[in-house]
């Protein structure tokens, strides 16, 4: 979608102050481009919305690193004061390397290994979100051995339908995430008897690309009730991690949640508990701030359809193939050309390598540049080298400055990574 920082100037698409065509010429295509100012503003929007309704030191934005874990982006986000939400030892390392303090890092994730937990406990993170009783026992054992106290929260599953794509819903009882909210009190009672465990938090996350406040409210009301029950049973709960999932405007008709309204709802439902609020937004910070620039390879006219084949593919951005996600595609140069109906597809040998079907688009020809929008989140992090296609370059733009933010991958570097044992050769 067109945004404040990704828009047309004199009919030419610009990422902040840079002409998309110039970026494509300089860095090649397909190309991930991110608008730095946009990312900064998105991260600050959370801070501003919550600052209006609660004291400054009572909430922490922990950016969900999984959405985009590039060091440049993490650094930008860290500079807004945010911490991180990580789900693997690798993401933890990335957050630390970008200078995010351990005391601002929450560790979520449904299957943390012994090694990952040991590293996390040693670092004295803000909180480890526990996904099962078995994990609680494991953490207790490791922390005791290390003579540490692990600050934990139980991630509860509130059984709320987030009304999003079923593949990105996490808060229904049939989803693999969290601990059934009905079992929570019993498990907190167990945790209390564990000397190396400080069960000071409750965490919840119900899904991603959520466009309505109502499911959040239902989930937080259940959490509020749990916190009261826990306190009545002698548990000192000081933190509520309200998760992430706020959706972005992928489609023109999408109406994302207003952050002021969201913050007010959080205050209304959880404010009286006087807890520290931790948030884990990912997509809403980086999603709209990124595009994939791609050139048309050829236009294939069949009897039934016209296919516009572009040089970006499902290996670069898998969301359409994986979740039928809609990513609007816009031309880098507005033109008065007649519109045609086409499918916009990638060159990978898979039927699902389709970005858009039956789209009305200004007539395209080989060499034209287009932008796949809303690609900043879950784009490059989910990309692969399928069909021996090197991962697309990534560029950060701020005003009229641009820079490559990941080492270029080449066919040569992909082949060089393979090992052929002597007994095969
Ligand atoms: N916290 C937890 C515990 C999560 O599992 C997630 C995302 C987030 C925070 C951040 O959610 P966000 O604010 O980004 O919606 N690959 C999928 C999305 C998977 C989301 C997984 N969890 C996609 O491309 O739509």
């Amino acid at each position: 979608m067109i945004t404040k920082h990704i828009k047309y100037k004199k009919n030419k698409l610009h990422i902040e102050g840079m002409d998309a065509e110039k970026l494509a010429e300089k860095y090649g295509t397909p190309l991930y481009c991110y608008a730095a100012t946009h990312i900064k503003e998105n991260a600050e929007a959370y801070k501003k919305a919550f600052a209006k309704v609660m004291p400054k030191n009572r909430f922490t934005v922990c950016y969900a690193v999984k959405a985009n874990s590039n060091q440049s982006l993490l650094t930008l986000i860290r500079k807004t004061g945010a911490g991180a939400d990580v789900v693997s030892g690798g993401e933890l390392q990335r957050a630390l390397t970008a200078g995010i303090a351990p005391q601002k890092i929450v560790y979520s994730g449904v299957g943390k290994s012994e090694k990952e937990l040991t590293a996390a406990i040693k670092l004295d993170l803000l909180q480890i979100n526990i996904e099962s009783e078995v994990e609680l026992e494991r953490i207790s054992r490791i922390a005791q051995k290390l003579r540490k106290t692990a600050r934990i929260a139980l991630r509860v599953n509130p059984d709320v339908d987030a009304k999003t794509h079923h593949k990105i819903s996490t808060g229904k009882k049939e989803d693999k995430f969290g601990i059934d909210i009905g079992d929570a009190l019993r498990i907190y009672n167990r945790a209390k008897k564990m000397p190396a465990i400080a069960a000071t938090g409750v965490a919840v996350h119900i899904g991603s690309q959520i466009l309505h406040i109502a499911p959040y409210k239902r989930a937080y009301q259940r959490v509020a009730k749990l916190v009261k029950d826990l306190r009545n049973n002698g548990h000192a709960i000081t933190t509520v991690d309200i998760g992430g999932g706020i959706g972005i405007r992928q489609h023109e008709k999408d109406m994302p949640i207003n952050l002021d309204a969201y913050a007010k709802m959080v205050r209304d439902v959880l404010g009286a508990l006087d807890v520290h609020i931790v948030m884990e937004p990912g997509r809403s910070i980086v999603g709209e701030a990124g595009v994939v620039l791609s050139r048309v390879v050829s236009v294939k006219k069949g009897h039934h359809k016209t296919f516009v084949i572009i040089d970006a593919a499902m290996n670069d951005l898998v969301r359409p193939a994986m979740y039928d996600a809609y990513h609007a595609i816009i031309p880098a140069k507005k033109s008065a050309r007649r519109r045609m109906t086409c499918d916009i597809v990638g060159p990978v040998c898979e039927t699902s390598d389709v970005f858009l079907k039956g789209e009305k688009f200004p007539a395209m020809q080989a060499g034209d540049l287009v932008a796949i929008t809303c690609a900043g989140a879950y784009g490059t992090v989910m990309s692969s080298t399928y069909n021996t296609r090197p991962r697309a370059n990534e560029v950060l733009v701020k005003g009229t400055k641009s820079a490559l933010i990941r080492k270029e991958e080449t066919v040569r570097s992909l082949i060089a990574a393979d090992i052929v044992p002597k007994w095969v050769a």
Side-chain angles (χ1 to χ4, degrees):
M1 292 284 94
I2 298 298
T3 71
K4 197 169 139 201
H5 300 284
I6 301 177
K7 61 180 181 196
Y8 292 98
K9 291 180 194 163
K10 295 195 179 139
N11 291 331
K12 289 179 178 172
L13 186 68
H14 279 67
I15 320 298
E16 301 213 1
M18 285 295 288
D19 184 343
E21 182 63 51
K22 296 242 163 66
L23 288 167
E25 279 164 20
K26 183 162 180 195
Y27 301 101
T29 57
L31 178 69
Y32 271 96
C33 299
Y34 309 109
T37 314
H38 202 172
I39 293 171
K40 180 172 170 275
E41 285 177 7
N42 286 343
E44 280 170 351
Y46 276 94
K47 246 179 28 185
K48 282 189 189 146
F50 276 84
K52 284 183 204 159
V53 297
M54 55 180 74
K56 219 176 164 186
N57 56 356
R58 300 303 280 159
F59 62 91
T60 306
V61 180
C62 290
Y63 165 67
V65 170
K66 66 171 85 66
N68 192 318
S69 53
N70 186 282
Q71 286 294 302
S72 281
L73 270 61
L74 293 183
T75 306
L76 267 180
I77 293 166
R78 190 249 300 148
K79 282 166 76 180
T80 67
D85 162 51
V86 301
V87 292
S88 69
E91 284 191 357
L92 177 56
Q93 279 305 317
R94 280 189 183 269
L96 294 170
T97 307
I100 298 173
Q103 289 69 34
K104 279 189 172 176
I105 298 177
V106 294
Y107 194 161
S108 309
V110 76
K112 309 173 198 79
S113 72
E114 187 99 6
K115 198 170 146 205
E116 289 174 318
L117 285 171
T118 305
I121 295 166
K122 276 187 186 160
L123 281 162
D124 200 16
L125 301 183
L126 169 59
Q127 183 170 290
I128 302 175
N129 292 344
I130 284 188
E131 287 270 355
S132 70
E133 228 170 326
V134 174
E135 190 169 68
L136 174 65
E137 288 158 10
R138 190 180 274 175
I139 294 180
S140 160
R141 177 172 45 76
I142 300 171
Q144 227 169 335
K145 207 165 95 193
L146 294 171
R147 296 182 188 285
K148 287 269 194 188
T149 303
R151 237 183 333 273
I152 63 121
L154 248 61
R155 171 168 174 190
V156 293
N157 182 322
D159 192 23
V160 166
D161 184 352
K163 301 264 181 267
T164 183
H165 191 285
H166 69 280
K167 285 193 181 165
I168 51 176
S169 160
T170 57
K172 284 188 284 177
K173 62 177 183 300
E174 61 268 32
D175 297 327
K176 72 175 174 182
F177 299 97
I179 293 169
D180 195 316
I181 198 160
D183 293 336
L185 177 58
R186 181 182 60 76
I187 300 173
Y188 277 96
N189 286 340
R190 270 198 75 191
K192 205 167 186 197
K193 296 191 195 109
M194 298 176 171
I197 294 285
T200 50
V202 177
V204 69
H205 172 78
I206 57 171
S208 201
Q209 186 51 24
I210 299 170
L211 294 171
H212 307 285
I213 279 194
Y216 279 117
K217 190 170 179 185
R218 268 197 295 282
Y220 298 162
Q221 281 167 334
R222 286 177 197 172
V223 167
K225 182 176 176 304
L226 173 65
V227 173
K228 282 181 208 148
D229 285 353
L230 290 171
R231 284 181 172 168
N232 289 338
N233 282 276
H235 297 283
I237 302 297
T238 55
T239 304
V240 172
D241 178 341
I242 59 175
I246 300 270
I248 59 171
R249 195 155 172 248
Q250 293 185 327
H251 213 285
E252 218 143 341
K253 65 176 188 341
D254 290 342
M255 284 290 291
I257 289 171
N258 174 292
L259 285 188
D260 286 332
Y262 173 75
K264 276 198 197 101
M265 179 276 288
V266 172
R267 181 206 50 201
D268 292 347
V269 178
L270 298 166
L273 299 172
D274 190 26
V275 283
H276 186 119
I277 299 286
V278 172
M279 293 166 268
E280 304 172 349
R283 187 192 318 265
S284 49
I285 292 183
V286 292
E288 287 186 42
V291 296
V292 180
L293 297 182
S294 178
R295 285 208 193 273
V296 175
V297 177
S298 60
V299 178
K300 179 173 161 176
K301 290 201 166 102
H303 289 299
H304 302 291
K305 273 185 170 181
T306 298
F307 296 98
V308 174
I309 305 166
I310 59 175
D311 65 1
M314 63 188 287
N315 74 295
D316 302 302
L317 179 68
V318 76
R319 304 194 67 257
M322 195 160 167
Y323 316 110
D324 298 317
Y326 178 83
H327 286 261
I329 298 183
I330 54 177
K333 194 170 165 212
K334 273 193 181 167
S335 77
R337 287 187 208 157
R338 144 190 84 73
R339 289 161 82 81
M340 60 179 192
T341 303
C342 59
D343 285 8
I344 303 182
V345 303
V348 157
C349 295
E350 294 278 346
T351 311
S352 60
D353 188 22
V354 175
F355 288 109
L356 289 172
K357 269 194 173 153
E359 193 71 6
K360 281 232 179 292
F361 216 76
M364 289 275 110
Q365 54 198 46
D368 284 350
L369 187 70
V370 296
I372 309 174
T373 62
C374 288
Y378 307 109
T380 184
V381 285
M382 292 177 75
S383 66
S384 75
T385 58
Y386 185 40
N387 281 198
T388 304
R389 292 168 46 87
R391 261 174 280 256
N393 279 341
E394 286 182 90
V395 164
L396 186 67
V397 179
K398 187 177 177 202
T400 53
K401 282 198 289 245
S402 72
L404 198 63
I405 56 168
R406 192 166 46 80
K407 222 177 181 174
E408 187 165 2
E409 211 166 50
T410 60
V411 171
R412 186 191 281 247
S413 68
L414 293 183
I415 297 172
D418 288 357
I419 298 169
V420 183
K422 272 208 179 73
W423 47 267
V424 166

